[in-house]
Amino acid sequence: MAQFVGKWKTINSTRKNYEEYCSSSGIPKDLIDKYRDVVTVMDMKQDGDKWLITYDTGLGPPQSFTFILGQELVTKDLEGKGVKATATLSEDGIWTDKTSHEIMGYKETITTKRVEGNKMIASTTCGGVTMTYELEKQ
C-alpha cells in the first residue's frame, strides 16, 4: 500500500484513447474539452485504514475524498455531480476503483492502477472502451 502514498502528476503525453473513452462513456462535449489538457495532481495519504485522496486540476479548489478500502463512498465529483465509488487493493499491488458517475448516467467505470518505480500506470474502462495514462511521482 505504501507505494501509492505521495503526490502523483498526470503525464498527458502518455494518455491514449481519451476522446473515444469520454465520448462513449457519455461525458458531455463541453467537459471533454474542459479537461482535455488539464494536468491533475493527485495526493494520496494513508492513516491506518483510512485513505485521503486530494485532486488538484487547477480549474478550481482542490477536492478531497476520505474513505476506507472496500467500503462504498457516496460523494460529489469535481463538477458537483453524484458519484459512488469503492476502492480495493489486491495482494499483488493493483489498486482498483469501481465508480459510477451521475454525469455518465451512472455507468460503471473500472480504473486500475499499479506502481512501477516512480510511475503509476492507470487504465480506465467504461462500456468496453479503455483509456490509459501514466502519472509521475512528485
Side-chain angles (χ1 to χ4, degrees), residues 4 44 51 67 69 87-89 93-97 111-113:
F4 289 96
M44 300 180 75
W51 283 84
F67 58 93
L69 291 175
T88 57
L89 184 60
I94 305 295
W95 182 288
T96 302
D97 294 315
T111 301
T112 59
K113 301 174 184 137

Side-chain angles (χ1 to χ4, degrees), residues 3-93:
Q3 70 267 31
F4 289 96
V5 174
K7 285 191 177 185
W8 300 88
K9 185 176 181 180
T10 57
I11 307 169
N12 284 355
S13 63
T14 66
R15 190 169 53 194
K16 294 181 177 45
N17 221 22
Y18 174 78
E19 296 288 333
E20 295 83 358
Y21 168 80
C22 291
S23 296
S24 72
S25 60
I27 297 172
K29 179 147 178 32
D30 64 322
L31 293 181
I32 294 171
D33 294 341
K34 179 179 179 180
Y35 288 99
R36 178 177 292 109
D37 297 319
V38 167
V39 175
T40 301
V41 175
M42 176 177 65
D43 188 7
M44 300 180 75
K45 296 178 181 174
Q46 182 185 11
D47 182 12
D49 289 343
K50 291 186 179 178
W51 283 84
L52 170 67
I53 299 181
T54 301
Y55 295 94
D56 187 355
T57 63
L59 296 177
Q63 188 170 19
S64 298
F65 303 96
T66 301
F67 58 93
I68 296 173
L69 291 175
Q71 294 184 9
E72 183 178 62
L73 170 69
V74 178
T75 189
K76 302 281 184 188
D77 64 16
L78 299 170
E79 295 296 317
K81 303 292 184 182
V83 174
K84 296 176 184 177
T86 304
T88 57
L89 184 60
S90 67
E91 293 200 13
D92 60 353

Side-chain angles (χ1 to χ4, degrees), residues 81-124:
K81 303 292 184 182
V83 174
K84 296 176 184 177
T86 304
T88 57
L89 184 60
S90 67
E91 293 200 13
D92 60 353
I94 305 295
W95 182 288
T96 302
D97 294 315
K98 291 185 180 179
T99 60
S100 57
H101 299 259
E102 177 183 356
I103 205 159
M104 296 162 58
Y106 285 107
K107 294 179 187 175
E108 184 178 70
T109 301
I110 298 175
T111 301
T112 59
K113 301 174 184 137
R114 71 183 188 283
V115 174
E116 295 180 3
N118 69 337
K119 299 268 170 79
M120 184 183 297
I121 314 302
S123 173
T124 301

